[in-house]
Amino acid sequence: MADDLDMLRADIEAAMAGAEDLRALDAVRVAALGKSGQVTALLKGLGALPPDERRARGAEVNVLKGEIERALEHRRVTLEAFALDARLAAERLDVSLPPRLAAPTSPEAGSIHPISRTMEELIALFGAMGFAVAEGPDIEGDWHNFSALNIPEHHPARQDHDTFYLTAPEGGRRPVLRTHTSPVQIRTMLSQEPPIRVIVPGRTWRADHDATHSPMFHQVEGLVIGRDIHMGHLKGTLVDFLRAFFGIADLPVRFRASYFPFTEPSMEVDIGWSRKTGELGQGGDWLEILGSGMVHPKVLANAGIDPRVWQGFAFGMGIERITMLKHGIPDLRPFYEADLRWLRHYAASPLSPFTLHDAS
Ligand code: PHE
């Protein structure tokens, strides 16, 4: 290649190497290949040469042009990668930095619904006692919701005016919106080998509607199965839980004989409060808070567990109920009305999630 072309190429290559961003590189391209660029000028000048020389010179200038185009492209790719790296470095987010809190009333600040918060608390508290979370469907079969739990055919819980039934499939029984979380006891025992230690927070349905009842509400079930799980475990677990959940170290707790078809013996659990002031922990009155008992041997057998080898306890309580008591919420209905004033008052900040530390 002619010396002048070699020199021109060396100049342009040096300019490219010196271009530190895409704009500078584009200036190099324009200076070489633009309308009045140096290489363009050489191509334009070919016409003035005698034919022989023009062909040889033309081939060389075109080779140079091709080389410059490839080198420009190469440099462009490199500079784009640099630019991306620089941008990634500049826009990096440190997600571990403490957040700047939005004002509590600002419309952008979301919050955790009291039901969700209580569920998180339940999972944290029982989680610390070694419980896992189990789940089941909202639409249940009659067998899981009633029969397997030893609930007889004519039990009031099965009656139409208490329970939401769906249309029966051809020749089958009507599916039911589960009336409690207890069917998940059955599902868990059928799907897991004992020992078992689970809680089941979830939606439940009953045809009730007033200041303390909603057709859709939430319960948490507990199930513990082992070779020698006894009433002492039941009582210890529930007393510890209730005192931690309500944050009252000496909360009075009373176990009162009761009846459920799926536990034997069965106990209703009451906590101490004042009927007059509504305050928990003192006042000499009792408030019923949950149902519990030793899992009935028939229920174990229905779920494929040998009651001569395994035994355990179960409990169930209303999540709205314990939430209302804990936070002094007088009416159940606004839980589901999405009223922002209510939510601002009762919902929790998502930036101060519940930790066991709070429960001391
Ligand atoms: N399923 C019962 C209810 O809904 C509560 C319960 C659960 C009682 C487990 C005893 C054992 O009222």
Side-chain angles (χ1 to χ4, degrees):
M1 192 174 282
D3 287 351
D4 63 330
L5 297 189
D6 273 339
M7 276 169 59
L8 180 55
R9 181 175 53 196
D11 282 353
I12 294 172
E13 280 174 355
M16 263 185 239
E20 281 181 356
D21 57 33
L22 292 165
R23 270 181 61 181
L25 185 67
D26 201 54
V28 175
R29 183 188 62 78
V30 172
L33 305 176
K35 250 195 224 151
S36 41
Q38 291 161 296
V39 178
T40 313
L42 290 174
L43 286 168
K44 281 185 184 159
L46 291 174
L49 297 176
D52 296 1
E53 232 177 282
R54 186 194 306 160
R55 198 171 314 122
R57 178 80 174 169
E60 285 190 341
V61 176
N62 274 310
V63 167
L64 175 63
K65 187 179 172 211
E67 285 174 353
I68 291 170
E69 280 168 350
R70 278 191 299 281
L72 279 167
E73 175 61 15
H74 192 249
R75 182 76 182 144
R76 187 182 65 77
V77 170
T78 309
L79 287 177
E80 270 178 2
F82 282 169
L84 182 61
D85 284 350
R87 213 178 126 194
L88 287 176
E91 293 178 6
R92 208 176 112 180
L93 270 184
D94 183 350
V95 293
S96 68
L97 282 176
R100 228 174 294 148
L101 285 174
T105 51
S106 110
E108 306 89 50
S111 53
I112 311 252
H113 193 279
I115 296 293
S116 305
R117 178 172 168 110
T118 295
M119 285 191 180
E120 285 174 18
E121 292 176 4
L122 290 164
I123 292 167
L125 289 169
F126 281 106
M129 294 195 259
F131 284 71
V133 173
E135 286 180 312
D138 284 16
I139 301 175
E140 265 298 3
D142 178 278
W143 186 77
H144 285 98
N145 195 80
F146 297 121
S147 305
L149 289 163
N150 200 35
I151 298 175
E153 272 315 313
H154 300 292
H155 195 275
R158 287 187 179 238
Q159 283 166 20
D160 284 19
H161 63 261
D162 285 329
T163 302
F164 295 109
Y165 286 99
L166 284 76
T167 312
E170 190 86 42
R173 301 194 73 145
R174 293 175 297 173
V176 54
L177 292 182
R178 66 179 180 190
T179 58
H180 49 180
T181 42
S182 302
V184 187
Q185 286 189 35
I186 305 297
R187 291 183 176 276
T188 305
M189 291 190 277
L190 285 171
S191 65
Q192 290 179 26
E193 292 290 319
I196 290 170
R197 206 187 295 179
V198 294
I199 57 164
V200 184
R203 274 194 201 101
T204 46
W205 313 78
R206 283 180 205 173
D208 274 335
H209 204 189
D210 60 35
T212 54
H213 296 87
S214 150
M216 187 282 299
F217 60 108
H218 299 78
Q219 286 191 336
V220 62
E221 193 82 7
L223 176 69
V224 177
I225 303 291
R227 286 180 196 274
D228 45 30
I229 295 294
H230 52 68
M231 287 252 283
H233 297 118
L234 180 162
K235 293 176 79 173
T237 302
L238 290 174
V239 170
D240 280 359
F241 162 70
L242 290 167
R243 290 182 174 165
F245 178 79
F246 290 109
I248 302 171
D250 56 356
L251 180 70
V253 179
R254 177 173 82 170
F255 291 81
R256 184 165 40 80
S258 181
Y259 173 77
F260 298 101
F262 33 90
T263 47
E264 179 59 35
S266 303
M267 282 155 299
E268 216 92 58
V269 183
D270 304 335
I271 58 174
W273 79 320
S274 159
R275 194 177 299 281
K276 229 163 68 213
T277 64
E279 203 183 333
L280 298 180
Q282 48 205 343
D285 299 314
W286 292 104
L287 183 65
E288 178 187 318
I289 193 128
L290 65 96
S292 69
M294 299 303 292
V295 179
H296 197 296
K298 280 193 186 164
V299 173
L300 292 171
N302 288 341
I305 288 184
D306 186 346
R308 289 163 307 183
V309 180
W310 302 100
Q311 57 182 37
F313 66 87
F315 57 87
M317 70 189 114
I319 290 183
E320 281 80 352
R321 182 160 169 75
I322 59 173
T323 305
M324 289 166 76
L325 285 169
K326 178 166 174 165
H327 300 291
I329 304 175
D331 191 334
L332 176 69
R333 287 165 292 202
F335 273 81
Y336 317 107
E337 285 170 358
D339 181 334
L340 285 178
R341 293 164 304 177
W342 188 88
L343 287 169
R344 276 185 200 123
H345 191 79
Y346 289 113
S349 165
L351 298 174
S352 58
F354 177 80
T355 61
L356 266 187
H357 182 69
D358 295 353
S360 56

